[in-house]
Amino acid sequence: MPSFDIVSEFDQHEAANAVDQANREVQSRFDFKGVDASFSLEKDTVQLEAEVDFQLKQMLDVLRNRLIARGIDARCMDIKDPVLSGVKARQEVALKQGLDQTEAKDIVKRIKASKLKVQAQIQGEKVRVTGKKRDDLQSVMALLRGEEGPELPLQFDNFRD
């Protein structure tokens, strides 16, 4: 029986490359000359550090563009509020990976509401979809990618015929 998995993940190595590129871009930009601004990546969290809040917003745009250029969906970014202290401004950006229980239930609910002849079941941090026809599975993919789909960066892998 044909099946595939719905996951939400990104390549850790590509994220590290995107952060390195963002650091280099900030160091070479004219509007950041003489400014102590940097990015640092720790596991799934990117730390932004600058002198003022306005620079953090610009750095966030640089990071978003670098992630997109490296093939990482910008919707995986969970942007925290900036923390302003005397001389420094800091901000955390968590890179979300995996589907939590509520997101997985929402995906299953959307698939069932579509009335397609497929079964969806939650398996840890992914959702497995099985059906008798490959066309039905492709319809599920189109549904979740379209405007009706959730606001999550979804990938479809482990497609079996």
Side-chain angles (χ1 to χ4, degrees), residues 67-141:
L67 287 171
I68 291 170
R70 287 308 215 155
I72 298 174
D73 197 328
R75 292 180 292 184
C76 75
M77 295 172 52
D78 183 20
I79 303 167
K80 310 281 194 245
D81 291 332
V83 177
L84 305 172
S85 63
V87 183
K88 290 281 182 192
R90 291 185 181 89
Q91 190 168 16
E92 277 190 13
V93 177
L95 300 175
K96 295 188 296 186
Q97 190 160 290
L99 296 172
D100 64 14
Q101 205 64 19
T102 57
E103 294 167 339
K105 284 181 181 178
D106 180 50
I107 290 171
V108 170
K109 186 172 117 184
R110 288 172 193 259
I111 292 171
K112 286 185 179 181
S114 71
K115 302 287 188 208
L116 292 168
K117 294 183 179 180
V118 295
Q119 292 82 38
Q121 54 187 215
I122 300 169
Q123 295 182 340
E125 291 189 343
K126 62 184 176 182
V127 177
R128 168 136 321 144
V129 180
T130 57
K132 290 184 179 176
K133 296 180 185 173
R134 170 187 268 183
D135 293 341
D136 291 339
L137 297 180
Q138 290 173 338
S139 298
V140 170
M141 288 181 190

Side-chain angles (χ1 to χ4, degrees), residues 27-41:
Q27 300 303 322
S28 65
R29 278 180 53 162
F30 179 75
D31 53 345
F32 280 95
K33 289 286 184 208
V35 175
D36 185 27
S38 66
F39 297 93
S40 63
L41 178 68

